[in-house]
Tab-separated table of all heavy atoms in Angstrom:
chain	number	residue	atom	x	y	z
A	941	ASP	N	-0.970	6.838	6.354
A	941	ASP	CA	-1.851	6.530	5.229
A	941	ASP	C	-3.030	5.713	5.719
A	941	ASP	O	-3.154	5.396	6.912
A	941	ASP	CB	-1.084	5.779	4.134
A	941	ASP	CG	-1.558	6.129	2.732
A	941	ASP	OD1	-2.766	6.410	2.569
A	941	ASP	OD2	-0.736	6.119	1.807
A	942	TYR	N	-3.864	5.294	4.775
A	942	TYR	CA	-5.179	4.745	5.057
A	942	TYR	C	-5.492	3.678	4.021
A	942	TYR	O	-5.341	3.913	2.824
A	942	TYR	CB	-6.164	5.921	4.948
A	942	TYR	CG	-7.628	5.600	4.971
A	942	TYR	CD1	-8.398	5.899	6.086
A	942	TYR	CD2	-8.264	5.062	3.856
A	942	TYR	CE1	-9.766	5.662	6.101
A	942	TYR	CE2	-9.620	4.813	3.862
A	942	TYR	CZ	-10.361	5.119	4.989
A	942	TYR	OH	-11.708	4.867	4.991
A	943	VAL	N	-5.886	2.478	4.461
A	943	VAL	CA	-6.340	1.420	3.559
A	943	VAL	C	-7.692	0.938	4.054
A	943	VAL	O	-7.824	0.547	5.222
A	943	VAL	CB	-5.339	0.250	3.496
A	943	VAL	CG1	-5.914	-0.895	2.666
A	943	VAL	CG2	-4.010	0.689	2.923
A	944	ALA	N	-8.701	0.971	3.203
A	944	ALA	CA	-10.040	0.550	3.599
A	944	ALA	C	-10.174	-0.966	3.512
A	944	ALA	O	-9.597	-1.606	2.640
A	944	ALA	CB	-11.085	1.223	2.719
A	945	LYS	N	-10.926	-1.539	4.446
A	945	LYS	CA	-11.251	-2.958	4.387
A	945	LYS	C	-12.398	-3.175	3.410
A	945	LYS	O	-13.205	-2.274	3.204
A	945	LYS	CB	-11.652	-3.467	5.769
A	945	LYS	CG	-10.552	-3.398	6.816
A	945	LYS	CD	-11.088	-3.886	8.152
A	945	LYS	CE	-10.069	-3.760	9.257
A	945	LYS	NZ	-10.633	-4.172	10.558
A	946	PRO	N	-12.529	-4.371	2.803
A	946	PRO	CA	-11.630	-5.513	2.939
A	946	PRO	C	-10.292	-5.254	2.258
A	946	PRO	O	-10.245	-4.733	1.146
A	946	PRO	CB	-12.376	-6.653	2.253
A	946	PRO	CG	-13.265	-5.960	1.267
A	946	PRO	CD	-13.672	-4.653	1.903
A	947	VAL	N	-9.225	-5.603	2.964
A	947	VAL	CA	-7.876	-5.356	2.469
A	947	VAL	C	-7.598	-6.249	1.260
A	947	VAL	O	-7.955	-7.430	1.249
A	947	VAL	CB	-6.853	-5.634	3.583
A	947	VAL	CG1	-5.434	-5.424	3.074
A	947	VAL	CG2	-7.118	-4.714	4.765
A	948	LYS	N	-6.954	-5.679	0.242
A	948	LYS	CA	-6.608	-6.437	-0.960
A	948	LYS	C	-5.098	-6.485	-1.126
A	948	LYS	O	-4.379	-5.580	-0.694
A	948	LYS	CB	-7.265	-5.805	-2.192
A	948	LYS	CG	-8.781	-5.852	-2.163
A	948	LYS	CD	-9.375	-5.292	-3.441
A	948	LYS	CE	-10.900	-5.375	-3.429
A	948	LYS	NZ	-11.495	-4.826	-4.668
A	949	LEU	N	-4.646	-7.528	-1.775
A	949	LEU	CA	-3.215	-7.760	-1.929
A	949	LEU	C	-2.528	-6.608	-2.654
A	949	LEU	O	-1.458	-6.152	-2.238
A	949	LEU	CB	-2.991	-9.070	-2.692
A	949	LEU	CG	-1.554	-9.573	-2.756
A	949	LEU	CD1	-1.087	-10.027	-1.397
A	949	LEU	CD2	-1.444	-10.713	-3.752
A	950	ASP	N	-3.152	-6.124	-3.736
A	950	ASP	CA	-2.488	-5.069	-4.495
A	950	ASP	C	-2.391	-3.770	-3.709
A	950	ASP	O	-1.460	-2.982	-3.898
A	950	ASP	CB	-3.198	-4.840	-5.835
A	950	ASP	CG	-4.662	-4.480	-5.684
A	950	ASP	OD1	-5.197	-4.617	-4.568
A	950	ASP	OD2	-5.277	-4.055	-6.679
A	951	GLU	N	-3.330	-3.538	-2.777
A	951	GLU	CA	-3.267	-2.329	-1.959
A	951	GLU	C	-2.123	-2.416	-0.956
A	951	GLU	O	-1.416	-1.429	-0.702
A	951	GLU	CB	-4.597	-2.111	-1.240
A	951	GLU	CG	-5.734	-1.755	-2.189
A	951	GLU	CD	-7.075	-1.683	-1.497
A	951	GLU	OE1	-7.204	-2.221	-0.375
A	951	GLU	OE2	-8.007	-1.070	-2.065
A	952	LEU	N	-1.928	-3.597	-0.353
A	952	LEU	CA	-0.796	-3.780	0.556
A	952	LEU	C	0.517	-3.602	-0.203
A	952	LEU	O	1.454	-2.960	0.279
A	952	LEU	CB	-0.858	-5.167	1.199
A	952	LEU	CG	-2.059	-5.447	2.108
A	952	LEU	CD1	-2.019	-6.885	2.600
A	952	LEU	CD2	-2.093	-4.500	3.291
A	953	HIS	N	0.571	-4.191	-1.386
A	953	HIS	CA	1.763	-4.065	-2.216
A	953	HIS	C	2.047	-2.590	-2.542
A	953	HIS	O	3.175	-2.101	-2.409
A	953	HIS	CB	1.558	-4.865	-3.505
A	953	HIS	CG	2.649	-4.696	-4.503
A	953	HIS	ND1	2.501	-3.940	-5.643
A	953	HIS	CD2	3.915	-5.165	-4.546
A	953	HIS	CE1	3.626	-3.953	-6.338
A	953	HIS	NE2	4.492	-4.703	-5.696
A	954	SER	N	0.995	-1.864	-2.922
A	954	SER	CA	1.166	-0.466	-3.326
A	954	SER	C	1.651	0.407	-2.178
A	954	SER	O	2.519	1.264	-2.367
A	954	SER	CB	-0.165	0.078	-3.871
A	954	SER	OG	-0.545	-0.600	-5.042
A	955	VAL	N	1.110	0.186	-0.986
A	955	VAL	CA	1.488	1.045	0.132
A	955	VAL	C	2.932	0.768	0.568
A	955	VAL	O	3.661	1.683	0.962
A	955	VAL	CB	0.491	0.892	1.301
A	955	VAL	CG1	0.756	-0.354	2.135
A	955	VAL	CG2	0.510	2.126	2.189
A	956	ILE	N	3.372	-0.486	0.451
A	956	ILE	CA	4.760	-0.809	0.793
A	956	ILE	C	5.716	-0.166	-0.209
A	956	ILE	O	6.720	0.447	0.164
A	956	ILE	CB	4.963	-2.345	0.858
A	956	ILE	CG1	4.227	-2.912	2.076
A	956	ILE	CG2	6.447	-2.694	0.911
A	956	ILE	CD1	4.209	-4.426	2.126
A	957	VAL	N	5.385	-0.285	-1.483
A	957	VAL	CA	6.239	0.324	-2.511
A	957	VAL	C	6.240	1.853	-2.378
A	957	VAL	O	7.272	2.506	-2.543
A	957	VAL	CB	5.763	-0.103	-3.912
A	957	VAL	CG1	6.461	0.697	-4.995
A	957	VAL	CG2	5.971	-1.597	-4.116
A	958	LYS	N	5.075	2.418	-2.042
A	958	LYS	CA	4.955	3.874	-1.909
A	958	LYS	C	5.918	4.431	-0.871
A	958	LYS	O	6.584	5.461	-1.080
A	958	LYS	CB	3.514	4.240	-1.545
A	958	LYS	CG	3.291	5.735	-1.312
A	958	LYS	CD	1.839	6.000	-0.961
A	958	LYS	CE	1.581	7.476	-0.656
A	958	LYS	NZ	0.165	7.727	-0.329
A	959	TYR	N	6.038	3.753	0.271
A	959	TYR	CA	6.839	4.309	1.368
A	959	TYR	C	8.246	3.730	1.473
A	959	TYR	O	9.105	4.327	2.095
A	959	TYR	CB	6.087	4.115	2.696
A	959	TYR	CG	4.879	5.002	2.803
A	959	TYR	CD1	3.608	4.501	2.612
A	959	TYR	CD2	5.014	6.363	3.048
A	959	TYR	CE1	2.486	5.303	2.686
A	959	TYR	CE2	3.916	7.193	3.122
A	959	TYR	CZ	2.646	6.666	2.936
A	959	TYR	OH	1.555	7.482	2.989
A	960	PHE	N	8.458	2.541	0.883
A	960	PHE	CA	9.766	1.908	1.064
A	960	PHE	C	10.442	1.524	-0.254
A	960	PHE	O	11.565	1.025	-0.248
A	960	PHE	CB	9.622	0.655	1.940
A	960	PHE	CG	9.082	0.935	3.304
A	960	PHE	CD1	7.733	0.779	3.570
A	960	PHE	CD2	9.907	1.383	4.325
A	960	PHE	CE1	7.213	1.056	4.837
A	960	PHE	CE2	9.408	1.650	5.585
A	960	PHE	CZ	8.056	1.494	5.847
A	961	GLY	N	9.739	1.748	-1.372
A	961	GLY	CA	10.319	1.405	-2.668
A	961	GLY	C	11.366	2.412	-3.095
A	961	GLY	O	11.583	3.456	-2.451
A	962	PRO	N	12.062	2.118	-4.196
A	962	PRO	CA	13.093	3.039	-4.690
A	962	PRO	C	12.505	4.375	-5.085
A	962	PRO	O	11.372	4.446	-5.604
A	962	PRO	CB	13.673	2.304	-5.910
A	962	PRO	CG	12.612	1.322	-6.307
A	962	PRO	CD	11.903	0.940	-5.062
A	963	VAL	N	13.219	5.434	-4.820
A	963	VAL	CA	12.773	6.781	-5.157
A	963	VAL	C	13.029	7.035	-6.636
A	963	VAL	O	14.153	6.820	-7.125
A	963	VAL	CB	13.498	7.831	-4.294
A	963	VAL	CG1	13.026	9.239	-4.679
A	963	VAL	CG2	13.246	7.565	-2.820
A	964	ALA	N	11.998	7.471	-7.341
A	964	ALA	CA	12.161	7.738	-8.776
A	964	ALA	C	13.096	8.911	-8.988
A	964	ALA	O	13.077	9.884	-8.221
A	964	ALA	CB	10.807	8.043	-9.408
């Protein structure tokens, strides 16, 4: 995946949940 700078807290949170969060 890809996150553009400047990095924001909610984007880091979203990418972690996207790949490691519970599967719906």
Side-chain angles (χ1 to χ4, degrees):
D941 214 328
Y942 170 107
V943 174
K945 296 178 184 177
V947 178
K948 296 184 178 180
L949 189 69
D950 58 348
E951 292 174 342
L952 296 177
H953 174 255
S954 296
V955 80
I956 290 172
V957 170
K958 177 180 177 179
Y959 289 103
F960 300 97
V963 179

